[in-house]
């Protein structure tokens, strides 16, 4: 089988971790008889430097012409002083909107080998942790009307949260479909005691739930959800929520797993098309040091194989290779617990991590 992938290395550590993920993907192609073709795409701060805009029209066109997109990271200190509509992050929002990527899947899985890296007490996470945040990605406050105006108290700024029934219904269906293949439990997170958009959200989610009688549905206000993820993360199976709440909750859940450097994500359109990226950012302080953890990007490639290409065996091979490297006590700096004890774990860098995972495919 032949698959065409648009590759957006981006900024900071993006190019470094993407390079290791492609190395692993090439090994999968060799072992399972697939051909993966890559087209490099310019987006983010590097695009601003080269052509003066974060997402050139040609870049979006190339992404649309491919079977899937692999993204490293965008942004960095260098571009922090630019106006909001000219920042590198505009490329990320533009890709999501332009590719109609309405569903963001962010799994938070605590590997047994990294249990000691979890900041929570052992008894809280004993027995494992495996939840997924399903985040609505193309609506809500991030894409609503925004602006500034003068008031008698000086300049004021506003961002409007708006959701339609269709937007809520389609993301809820993704969450319920996923729950049917997992633990058959959905937690919908909103702020229905205050926000009108959340009241609509809740009513539509409840209507969708009627089509899934086998799935247990419960609701949490977002502030309580944050507390519950810390207090008892094992109570969750699938969390479905809005764009902004999902952004916050998924990053919070990532820390329960020990390191944001371990967490992949998928952003899906209708059908099999998707964009895959690590949850972590561009980490400009780590760029060029060889210390970045490429495992989140490599696991994002596994999600690509599973969701866009329907290659479950190949996805399993990557995930098992990552587990084997962890079981062999290899650790990048972000998951290295005790550098003073060389017998406990072996410290490795970005490239070595990619090499080890590739060798274990």
């Amino acid at each position: 089988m032949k698959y065409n992938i648009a590759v957006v290395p981006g900024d900071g550590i993006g190019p470094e971790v993407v390079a290791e993920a492609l190395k692993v993907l090439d090994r999968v192609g060799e072992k399972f008889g697939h051909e993966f073709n890559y087209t490099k795409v310019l987006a983010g701060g590097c695009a601003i430097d080269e052509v003066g805009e974060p997402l050139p029209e040609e870049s979006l066109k190339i992404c649309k012409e491919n079977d899937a997109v692999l993204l490293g990271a965008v942004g960095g200190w260098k571009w922090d002083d630019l106006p909001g509509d000219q920042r590198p992050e505009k490329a990320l929002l533009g890709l999501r909107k332009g590719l109609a990527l309405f569903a963001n899947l962010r799994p938070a899985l605590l590997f047994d080998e990294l249990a000691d890296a979890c900041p929570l007490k052992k008894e809280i996470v004993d027995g494992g942790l495996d939840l997924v945040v399903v985040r609505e990605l193309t609506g809500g406050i991030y894409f609503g009307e925004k602006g500034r105006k003068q008031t008698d108290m000086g300049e004021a700024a506003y961002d409007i949260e708006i959701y339609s029934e269709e937007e809520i219904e389609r993301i809820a269906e993704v969450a319920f479909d996923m729950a049917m293949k997992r633990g058959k439990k959905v937690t919908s997170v909103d702020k229905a005691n205050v926000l009108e958009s959340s009241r609509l959200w809740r009513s539509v989610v409840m209507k969708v739930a009627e089509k899934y009688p086998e799935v247990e549905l419960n609701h949490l206000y977002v502030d309580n959800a944050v507390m519950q993820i810390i207090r008892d993360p094992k109570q969750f199976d699938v969390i479905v929520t809005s764009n902004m709440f999902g952004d916050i909750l998924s990053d919070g859940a990532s820390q329960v797993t020990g390191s944001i450097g371990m967490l992949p994500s998928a952003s899906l359109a209708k059908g099999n098309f998707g964009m895959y990226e690590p949850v972590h950012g561009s980490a400009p302080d780590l760029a060029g040091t060889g210390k970045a953890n490429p495992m989140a990007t490599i696991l994002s490639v596994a999600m690509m194989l599973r969701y866009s290409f329907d290659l479950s065996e190949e996805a399993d091979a990557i995930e098992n290779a990552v587990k084997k490297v962890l079981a062999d006590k290899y650790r990048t700096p972000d998951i290295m617990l005790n550098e003073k004890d060389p017998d406990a774990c072996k410290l490795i860098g970005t490239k070595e991590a990619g090499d080890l995972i590739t060798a274990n495919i």
Side-chain angles (χ1 to χ4, degrees), residues 20 23 290 294 325 330 347-357:
E20 301 311 311
K23 185 190 301 180
V325 169
Y330 290 103
L347 184 63
I348 57 174
T350 309
K351 187 178 183 301
E352 191 174 2
D355 288 341
L356 287 166
I357 293 168

Side-chain angles (χ1 to χ4, degrees), residues 97 136 138-146 159-165 167-168 195-198 200-201 242-243:
K97 197 74 172 179
E136 200 289 321
T138 56
I141 197 168
Y142 287 6
F143 291 96
E145 181 185 345
K146 56 186 83 257
D159 299 271
I160 296 177
E161 165 99 346
I162 183 168
Y163 268 114
S164 66
E165 289 180 300
E167 288 174 311
I168 302 167
L195 302 177
E196 192 62 32
S197 57
S198 281
L200 177 64
W201 180 282
S242 65
N243 204 338

Side-chain angles (χ1 to χ4, degrees), residues 170-188:
R170 68 184 182 182
I171 193 67
E173 288 176 345
V174 170
F176 279 93
D177 285 340
M178 181 163 287
M180 286 293 292
K181 300 173 184 177
R182 291 173 49 94
K184 296 186 177 180
K185 181 178 181 181
V186 169
T187 301
S188 178

Side-chain angles (χ1 to χ4, degrees), residues 116 328-332 335-348:
D116 290 339
D328 289 342
K329 297 187 176 181
Y330 290 103
R331 300 287 187 271
T332 48
I335 51 176
M336 186 74 175
L337 295 179
N338 188 0
E339 294 185 33
K340 296 181 180 179
D341 182 2
D343 294 327
C345 288
K346 308 159 198 173
L347 184 63
I348 57 174

Side-chain angles (χ1 to χ4, degrees), residues 218-335:
N218 59 59
H219 306 272
L220 287 178
Y221 297 143
V222 62
D223 42 358
N224 188 20
V226 172
M227 292 188 289
Q228 294 299 325
I229 287 174
I230 297 170
R231 188 187 71 82
D232 181 20
K234 289 194 296 182
Q235 69 180 282
F236 296 106
D237 179 27
V238 177
I239 297 174
V240 62
T241 191
S242 65
N243 204 338
M244 183 171 68
F245 293 163
D247 194 356
I248 296 167
L249 289 176
S250 57
D251 281 0
S254 74
Q255 286 306 300
V256 175
T257 68
S259 173
I260 200 169
M262 294 298 302
L263 298 183
S265 76
S267 300
L268 306 178
K270 284 188 176 181
N272 295 325
F273 186 85
M275 182 169 74
Y276 300 84
E277 61 182 302
V279 170
H280 63 69
S282 61
D285 55 320
L286 293 179
T289 67
K291 296 180 179 180
N293 186 348
M295 296 185 197
T297 313
I298 291 169
L299 290 169
S300 294
V301 165
M303 293 186 76
M304 177 190 294
L305 295 176
R306 193 179 304 280
Y307 291 110
S308 284
F309 303 152
D310 197 26
L311 300 175
S312 295
E313 184 180 357
E314 291 84 339
D316 289 342
I318 292 178
E319 292 166 357
N320 289 335
V322 171
K323 292 177 183 177
K324 181 64 167 60
V325 169
L326 294 174
D328 289 342
K329 297 187 176 181
Y330 290 103
R331 300 287 187 271
T332 48
D334 59 308
I335 51 176

Side-chain angles (χ1 to χ4, degrees), residues 202-218:
R202 184 172 291 206
S203 65
V204 173
V205 170
M206 291 173 66
K207 185 176 179 180
V208 172
E210 295 174 0
K211 298 187 290 186
Y212 299 85
E214 297 177 58
V215 178
E216 175 189 348
L217 170 66
N218 59 59

